[in-house]
Amino acid sequence: QVQLVESGGGLVQTGGSLRLSCAASGRTFSRATMGWFRQVPGKEREFVASINWSGSSTTIRNSVKDRFNISRDNAKNTVYLEMNSLKPEDTAVYYCNVVTGTTPLFRSWGQGTQVTVSS
């Protein structure tokens, strides 16, 4: 199936910004709704945001909806997560997946990309 590779994470100060990218290996899921999730050790993975195939509809969890934005470029097979005004509690490994609603579709996850927000 399609391979998803996350990138763009890093270490930032509180209040900083990052843009994460999720690149798909092909165009098979160009019409699929894509989502971002995040996880810290010892806690469950949580939904962050999703975007439909056309980019016309997005869903963002309430805790970050005023600071994060999700977008996609189907020509590049890439989904983005723009994160602004980052807080230490945003620190996590961020993953992408095909989603149904806010539920991940693929059973296996990629490597993810680490986001660390220092205080």
Side-chain angles (χ1 to χ4, degrees):
Q1 294 182 315
V2 173
Q3 181 180 3
L4 303 173
V5 179
E6 302 91 344
S7 63
L11 174 63
V12 297
Q13 301 289 330
T14 297
S17 299
L18 284 173
R19 188 180 75 162
L20 308 183
S21 297
C22 170
S25 61
R27 298 183 181 274
T28 303
F29 290 92
S30 63
R31 287 184 171 268
T33 298
M34 300 295 299
W36 284 96
F37 301 79
R38 64 186 183 184
Q39 186 175 34
V40 299
K43 293 190 175 183
E44 295 182 352
R45 183 179 286 107
E46 66 179 17
F47 171 82
V48 178
S50 67
I51 184 169
N52 73 338
W53 73 271
S54 68
S56 62
S57 179
T58 62
T59 301
I60 305 176
R61 69 179 296 117
N62 289 333
S63 61
V64 302
K65 65 179 181 181
D66 294 331
R67 301 183 292 114
F68 289 14
N69 186 53
I70 186 170
S71 61
R72 68 191 297 165
D73 185 342
N74 289 335
K76 296 181 178 180
N77 300 321
T78 302
V79 180
Y80 304 98
L81 182 67
E82 181 180 339
M83 306 183 294
N84 303 302
S85 301
L86 284 163
K87 304 175 181 179
E89 51 262 45
D90 296 318
T91 296
V93 178
Y94 284 71
Y95 303 88
C96 62
N97 207 325
V98 178
V99 298
T100 301
T102 59
T103 301
L105 179 62
F106 292 143
R107 293 178 298 171
S108 61
W109 298 82
Q111 294 296 311
T113 185
Q114 175 72 50
V115 172
T116 302
V117 185
S118 62
S119 60

